[in-house]
Amino acid sequence: MGKPMQMQSWQYMAAYLQFFRRIYHNISSFSSYVFYAGYAYSFLWSFGAISVLQVYGRTEGVNVLKNMRLVGIFGGLPFISVLIGASHLINWEEPVSKFLRTYVPETRVLKDWMPLFKVRPKGEQEDQPLEKKFNLPLRLSSALVFPTVSVAFGNVFFKSVPRSLKRVVLGGLLYLFIKSSLKLILIQGEFIDRNSRKAQHRRRVIQL
């Protein structure tokens, strides 16, 4: 009679250990999620604060941060980072290039201004989007350097603008315009190159 009672007590102990193990596992998982969320929030907050300092300048930026309300400090600064990051994660290049390839050949004025987009797709197969992988690290890096580049462009090309905020905004718009134009030219060049290679392949097949 004593031996079965001893095994039953070990079963109770194993059940208690499993119960505490589950509690420990849940607490550990929750703690790790909280840690990652806090790390991400602190990064977004720091990046937003640094962006404000870059845009307004050191002295004026510190005053802006000091005069912010709690909602702006704890909600506005991370939102700035999220907005900058989200704007760089949108894949807008292919739709815009397809739109230009469709409507530029039909407009005489646009033909003269954008001769690269005169090439009209001859069929549905030729106008398929280029197969490119979404480069997340590159886009995030571009988002991280965007405030710094905007400040640099504003200080170089818009020195006569008195206010630093206007200078940075104009510099950022100029940077986006140059970057977007180069991207569209690159995509259209790859599109023309792909179509020319397909045309050469078709001619070789016909000759055979």
Side-chain angles (χ1 to χ4, degrees):
M1 296 294 293
K3 194 171 183 180
M5 293 294 294
Q6 188 176 5
M7 291 183 64
Q8 191 175 9
S9 64
W10 280 106
Q11 290 175 359
Y12 279 123
M13 184 177 292
Y16 284 130
L17 289 175
Q18 289 178 359
F19 174 73
F20 286 116
R21 183 182 179 182
R22 285 196 299 268
I23 293 177
Y24 174 76
H25 178 72
N26 293 333
I27 293 175
S28 300
S29 301
F30 180 75
S31 301
S32 62
Y33 292 146
V34 171
F35 173 77
Y36 290 133
Y39 180 79
Y41 178 81
S42 62
F43 173 77
L44 294 175
W45 188 91
S46 302
F47 182 70
I50 292 172
S51 301
V52 170
L53 293 176
Q54 287 180 328
V55 169
Y56 285 97
R58 183 177 178 181
T59 305
E60 190 177 353
V62 170
N63 292 330
V64 169
L65 293 176
K66 283 182 178 179
N67 295 327
M68 268 189 181
R69 296 181 179 179
L70 292 178
V71 177
I73 292 175
F74 295 106
L77 293 178
F79 180 74
I80 293 173
S81 305
V82 171
L83 189 63
I84 294 174
S87 64
H88 284 75
L89 294 178
I90 298 173
N91 189 14
W92 56 268
E93 296 92 347
E94 284 292 341
V96 172
S97 62
K98 185 176 180 180
F99 175 82
L100 292 175
R101 283 196 298 268
T102 303
Y103 291 101
V104 166
E106 298 178 356
T107 309
R108 184 175 300 177
V109 178
L110 294 178
K111 276 187 188 179
D112 299 332
W113 282 94
M114 292 182 283
L116 186 65
F117 291 92
K118 285 182 181 180
V119 179
R120 181 190 292 275
K122 297 179 182 178
E124 241 175 83
Q125 186 176 2
E126 285 83 355
D127 201 27
Q128 293 297 321
L130 298 174
E131 294 183 1
K132 283 190 174 182
K133 293 182 179 180
F134 187 77
N135 197 337
L136 182 62
L138 181 62
R139 289 181 178 269
L140 289 178
S141 301
S142 177
L144 289 175
V145 302
F146 176 69
T148 305
V149 176
S150 301
V151 172
F153 269 64
N155 292 332
V156 171
F157 296 103
F158 302 100
K159 291 182 180 178
S160 59
V161 178
R163 294 191 61 183
S164 61
L165 179 60
K166 289 183 179 179
R167 232 180 5 249
V168 174
V169 170
L170 292 174
L173 291 176
L174 178 62
Y175 167 70
L176 289 176
F177 175 75
I178 295 174
K179 180 183 174 183
S180 304
S181 302
L182 294 177
K183 273 189 177 181
L184 291 175
I185 291 172
L186 177 63
I187 291 174
Q188 182 65 8
E190 292 176 350
F191 171 79
I192 294 174
D193 182 63
R194 183 184 63 177
N195 277 355
S196 64
R197 278 189 276 119
K198 284 185 178 180
Q200 290 176 2
H201 178 70
R202 282 196 293 265
R203 281 197 293 268
R204 286 183 194 142
V205 171
I206 291 172
Q207 289 174 1
L208 292 175

